[in-house]
Amino acid sequence: MTYRRFEILVIICGGGAILTTAAAAATRQSDWIETVGQLLLLGVLVGALHWGRRGGFIAGIAATLVYLALRVPTIAAARSLTPTLAQLLLTRAVVFGALGIVGGEISTRIKYFFVELENRGHIDDVTHVYNDVYVRQLLRSHVARYERYSATFSIIIVRLDEAKLPPLDRSHGRRLLRATANALVGDIRLVDEMGRLEGAEFCIILPNTPLEGAKVAAARLKNTAGGSLHGTGLHPDGIVTAEPLGYPEDREAIEVLLPPLTDEPADRRA
């Protein structure tokens, strides 16, 4: 199952439940505003499911403001905010906020879970970034894009000296690789793509970035990778290197990393 199908399923089931309770509320009481308030839950649900944390938060605030606006004439007629109205407003705000924020957070986590399931063949088991095969395919797609559209790109090869690291097939070595990958992922742009090459090498692809920009990023990422070694007893000097390469300036060095032409071209991330 994809997240899109999960989203549709939850909207159908959750929307059906909300519509049922709204219909029941309409038959039990004459306060149409409460019926509208119940229907506003559907908008918050859709916002949380489709846009995640931020969308759920915005939808929750919007629903609260709409409900408050509907209650303004009642508050004005009473010339004060009665305890009953205050309780209704507070209850609705809490429900909208909980559904929007908490529901959005849960939806975001589920979405990433589905993405990981869909792309399991492209993910490195140790570092949870793209694996060697897929990142090389991505490189080929960038080279093809340059040949067709002259879209310049650069890469950065971050290397850890395996001779100075714990064995990578042991738990300590695997944790170190994972910590380094997590640190690097947190310090690159959303449009950048990162994968693990063989051993303790990482390839970061920087779309639409000239070599000069890659050099600046390489210096920063070298420090980032070195910082991930703090607390391990290893000193980053002499262990971490970051080599920037630009295309087409370093065409030969980059083309060495490309997979055979018989491989399928990689799909781009959304």
Side-chain angles (χ1 to χ4, degrees):
M1 177 185 289
T2 63
Y3 180 77
R4 179 60 178 167
R5 291 183 179 178
F6 170 80
E7 179 183 349
I8 293 173
L9 179 63
V10 173
I11 289 176
I12 291 173
C13 296
I18 291 172
L19 291 174
T20 300
T21 56
T27 58
R28 288 197 311 265
Q29 56 189 15
S30 59
D31 191 350
W32 61 273
I33 297 179
E34 285 306 303
T35 302
V36 174
Q38 196 68 15
L39 292 175
L40 288 172
L41 287 171
L42 184 58
V44 180
L45 176 65
V46 173
L49 283 170
H50 195 66
W51 290 286
R53 294 181 291 256
R54 184 173 298 178
F57 175 71
I58 294 174
I61 292 178
T64 302
L65 292 176
V66 169
Y67 182 81
L68 177 60
L70 293 174
R71 285 295 180 190
V72 166
T74 307
I75 297 173
R79 297 185 178 181
S80 65
L81 184 61
T82 64
T84 301
L85 286 175
Q87 183 178 3
L88 286 173
L89 290 172
L90 179 61
T91 301
R92 285 295 178 185
V94 170
V95 171
F96 292 147
L99 180 60
I101 298 173
V102 179
E105 176 68 27
I106 294 174
S107 297
T108 300
R109 293 180 182 274
I110 293 175
K111 182 175 183 178
Y112 285 130
F113 173 73
F114 277 115
V115 169
E116 184 175 351
L117 286 181
E118 293 171 17
N119 296 314
R120 179 163 289 179
H122 305 322
I123 301 299
D124 178 63
D125 292 337
V126 176
T127 59
H128 301 158
V129 297
Y130 289 133
N131 59 26
D132 180 89
V133 172
Y134 192 64
V135 75
R136 292 177 191 270
Q137 291 176 348
L138 285 173
L139 276 175
R140 180 169 291 288
S141 71
H142 279 282
V143 169
R145 190 170 291 107
Y146 173 81
E147 299 298 338
R148 185 170 183 178
Y149 304 111
S150 299
T152 301
F153 72 96
S154 299
I155 69 172
I156 300 172
I157 304 296
V158 177
R159 297 185 180 91
L160 305 182
D161 188 346
E162 292 187 54
K164 300 177 181 179
L165 299 177
L168 300 183
D169 59 346
R170 303 290 179 85
S171 60
H172 185 44
R174 291 164 66 92
R175 284 197 302 271
L176 189 148
L177 282 180
R178 190 177 301 116
T180 301
N182 289 339
L184 291 173
V185 166
D187 200 23
I188 62 177
R189 303 171 301 178
L190 290 176
V191 296
D192 298 334
E193 295 161 314
M194 174 176 158
R196 177 193 173 194
L197 300 176
E198 296 179 357
E201 291 187 352
F202 299 94
C203 177
I204 297 98
I205 304 174
L206 312 174
N208 303 313
T209 303
L211 180 58
E212 290 304 313
K215 290 179 179 178
V216 175
R220 186 185 74 248
L221 292 176
K222 179 181 178 181
N223 291 332
T224 299
S228 69
L229 300 179
H230 290 165
T232 64
L234 300 172
H235 198 279
D237 290 345
I239 295 181
V240 180
T241 60
E243 179 184 8
L245 299 171
Y247 200 92
E249 298 94 334
D250 301 298
R251 181 189 298 265
E252 292 183 2
I254 291 178
E255 289 184 346
V256 168
L257 300 173
L258 301 183
L261 284 171
T262 53
D263 282 359
E264 292 288 336
D267 294 331
R268 294 283 296 164
R269 276 194 302 189

